[in-house]
Amino acid sequence: MENGVIQAYHATQASEAYKTMPAFPRTNEVIRSVQLLNKTVITLDSSKRELTSWTYQHSSSVESTRFYLDDIIINEYAIASSAINLEIVYVLVLTNNHWIEIYPSKSLKHEPLFSLHLRCSVKVHSTPNGNFFILTNKGSIYFIKQKITGDKEITFEQTAQAQSNISCSMMLSSVLILNELECFIVFADNAQSMTIWTTEKIINMNMFHHLLHHH
């Protein structure tokens, strides 16, 4: 129980309490995946069409829901917190028609804060600083940065782009923080080389050659 208190009830009391207990909030479809950040939870249902945000500070409650209709489904999503308020969470959604959209978790029904259309398969990553890296199966890398306006509002902009020269159709990738700098690492399909991108420079490394040289 809350505050570590354990309370005991007679079975009859528990049964009566259960009858009067209000229904828990729920989604329309069975939840398939869950992502948690601070005090916000984002869920996606098994049909990959119902995206829901929840809060659970005192009790769980549905904050906002977005439904995708017709043939549009959500292939992937990532979440990041606001740079000025950790309790504000943003959701990046990747749909099967290759649209990338970013919404505030509290306003999933509204128009996206940012949208980008790509014509190929994509992998998305969020960073601890509230930004997003996007990798396509053709090796293109995009950086979507969170920006604070003069009115202390958050916007998102694509501020950088790079092209990896390795074959990465499997889109094996990760975000790494080095010396407080956000780095994006892409691994080649053959697992012998990788690309490291810092939005300022791109480094291509042949790991197999490096190991041979070391020995």
Side-chain angles (χ1 to χ4, degrees):
M1 299 293 290
E2 189 176 355
N3 300 325
V5 177
I6 299 175
Q7 299 184 14
Y9 298 90
H10 290 293
T12 53
Q13 291 176 326
S15 177
E16 290 301 316
Y18 181 77
K19 290 178 183 178
T20 59
M21 185 182 298
F24 288 109
R26 58 176 297 162
T27 57
N28 294 309
E29 302 293 336
V30 176
I31 292 173
R32 180 177 184 269
S33 65
V34 177
Q35 289 194 35
L36 167 67
L37 183 60
N38 302 328
K39 297 175 182 178
T40 299
V41 175
I42 306 297
T43 62
L44 181 64
D45 74 316
S46 55
S47 71
K48 304 178 78 172
R49 286 187 169 88
E50 184 182 14
L51 188 72
T52 305
S53 63
W54 307 68
T55 57
Y56 64 97
Q57 184 171 4
H58 301 295
S59 61
S60 61
S61 61
V62 172
E63 199 169 39
S64 183
T65 300
R66 185 175 187 87
F67 291 94
Y68 287 84
L69 304 175
D70 302 323
D71 296 328
I72 300 177
I73 63 173
I74 298 173
N75 280 350
E76 193 177 349
Y77 66 100
I79 57 178
S81 59
S82 164
I84 56 179
N85 186 346
L86 294 179
E87 293 187 4
I88 299 176
V89 172
Y90 297 97
V91 187
L92 183 149
V93 175
L94 169 64
T95 62
N96 61 328
N97 59 350
H98 307 304
W99 274 101
I100 290 170
E101 301 169 338
I102 299 178
Y103 299 90
S105 65
K106 295 182 179 180
S107 309
L108 295 178
K109 294 181 180 179
H110 295 177
E111 290 297 310
L113 297 175
F114 173 89
S115 60
L116 175 67
H117 189 236
L118 300 172
R119 300 182 182 277
C120 52
S121 298
V122 166
K123 182 77 174 176
V124 299
H125 294 269
S126 60
T127 77
N129 294 331
N131 304 312
F132 296 97
F133 283 101
I134 299 170
L135 172 66
T136 74
N137 61 347
K138 297 179 181 179
S140 296
I141 311 170
Y142 300 85
F143 183 62
I144 300 176
K145 185 175 178 61
Q146 190 176 142
K147 291 199 168 184
I148 305 172
T149 68
D151 298 328
K152 298 295 183 181
E153 293 185 355
I154 296 294
T155 62
F156 288 88
E157 295 181 12
Q158 180 198 327
T159 59
Q161 180 179 348
Q163 179 65 44
S164 172
N165 64 0
I166 62 176
S167 176
C168 55
S169 61
M170 297 171 64
M171 296 181 288
L172 299 174
S173 50
S174 182
V175 173
L176 183 65
I177 306 298
L178 293 174
N179 297 325
E180 300 183 354
L181 189 65
E182 293 179 339
C183 302
F184 190 62
I185 302 176
V186 181
F187 299 95
D189 294 334
N190 62 9
Q192 293 186 2
S193 57
M194 65 180 182
T195 293
I196 302 175
W197 186 46
T198 67
T199 73
E200 296 176 356
K201 62 180 179 179
I202 190 165
I203 303 169
N204 294 297
M205 183 180 299
N206 188 314
M207 293 181 288
F208 184 69
H209 175 77
H210 182 72
L211 287 173
L212 286 178
H213 183 72
H214 240 277
H215 285 293

